Amino acid sequence: QGEGRVSASVSTLRVVGLFLAWVCIVTAIARPQWVGEPIELPNTGRDLMLSLDLSGSMQIRDMQVGNRTISRVEAVKAIASDFTERRVGDRVGLILFGSKAYVQAPLTFDTTTVTQFIREAQLGFAGEDTAIGDALGLAIKRLRDRPAASRVLILLTDGQDTASSVEPIEAAALAAQ
């Protein structure tokens, strides 16, 4: 029985080895090449981190746009997506929060993708409560290594903190430092 296991292991290693050899040969035949000079991305813009509240209270329909009443989240998504579409040369990131906060998009020059993430965000993704302090803390963590003059946090929320492990005032004081 021991010899059967050894021969099965050797057989598996041969198949894996042959597969890796095939991948290397195909890659070599494809002759991957670097075309053109590398493109430098601008580093002169700001680092903008948007924190978007997706808690249950954002479903309330009390925002007036023209003669139409829409939900708070619809209003915030429209404003935030318009804002990110107009960012040129800025790096934009996105934090979504409810009961918990998480990074949906790290800081990036790809504002088209961040705008799409904003438009696709749904209530309840992060829970029903509001963790403003946690969202602030996560944003501070993501922005702390960036130059102080370019760091910007935009917090889009309707509510009162109901779920943070860190008080929003403490997080704001930390951000000020």
Side-chain angles (χ1 to χ4, degrees), residues 7-143:
S7 82
S9 295
V10 170
S11 177
T12 302
L13 284 175
R14 280 189 184 143
V15 170
V16 170
L18 288 173
F19 176 75
L20 289 175
W22 179 78
V23 168
C24 289
I25 290 170
V26 169
T27 302
I29 291 171
R31 292 183 37 145
Q33 298 177 12
W34 191 284
V35 179
E37 293 299 315
I39 298 171
E40 290 289 325
L41 294 174
N43 287 328
T44 58
R46 292 184 183 97
D47 294 313
L48 306 167
M49 185 62 75
L50 297 172
S51 286
L52 179 61
D53 183 353
L54 295 178
S55 65
S57 62
M58 293 293 284
Q59 69 186 334
I60 297 171
R61 301 179 68 81
D62 61 355
M63 303 300 287
Q64 195 72 29
V65 175
N67 59 358
R68 231 178 69 184
T69 302
I70 61 173
S71 69
R72 295 172 181 177
V73 75
E74 288 176 87
V76 166
K77 285 165 58 171
I79 291 166
S81 60
D82 179 58
F83 176 79
T84 56
E85 283 176 338
R86 292 185 286 126
R87 304 284 36 108
V88 176
D90 292 335
R91 292 184 349 145
V92 180
L94 179 63
I95 293 174
L96 301 177
F97 71 97
S99 302
K100 302 284 183 192
Y102 65 93
V103 176
Q104 179 70 11
L107 289 170
T108 179
F109 289 109
D110 185 2
T111 57
T112 303
T113 300
V114 175
T115 301
Q116 188 64 31
F117 284 156
I118 291 169
R119 290 182 177 141
E120 292 174 353
Q122 298 294 315
L123 291 176
F125 266 11
E128 292 294 316
D129 296 325
T130 307
I132 297 171
D134 293 352
L136 289 172
L138 185 55
I140 292 166
K141 182 178 176 184
R142 292 299 178 150
L143 290 170

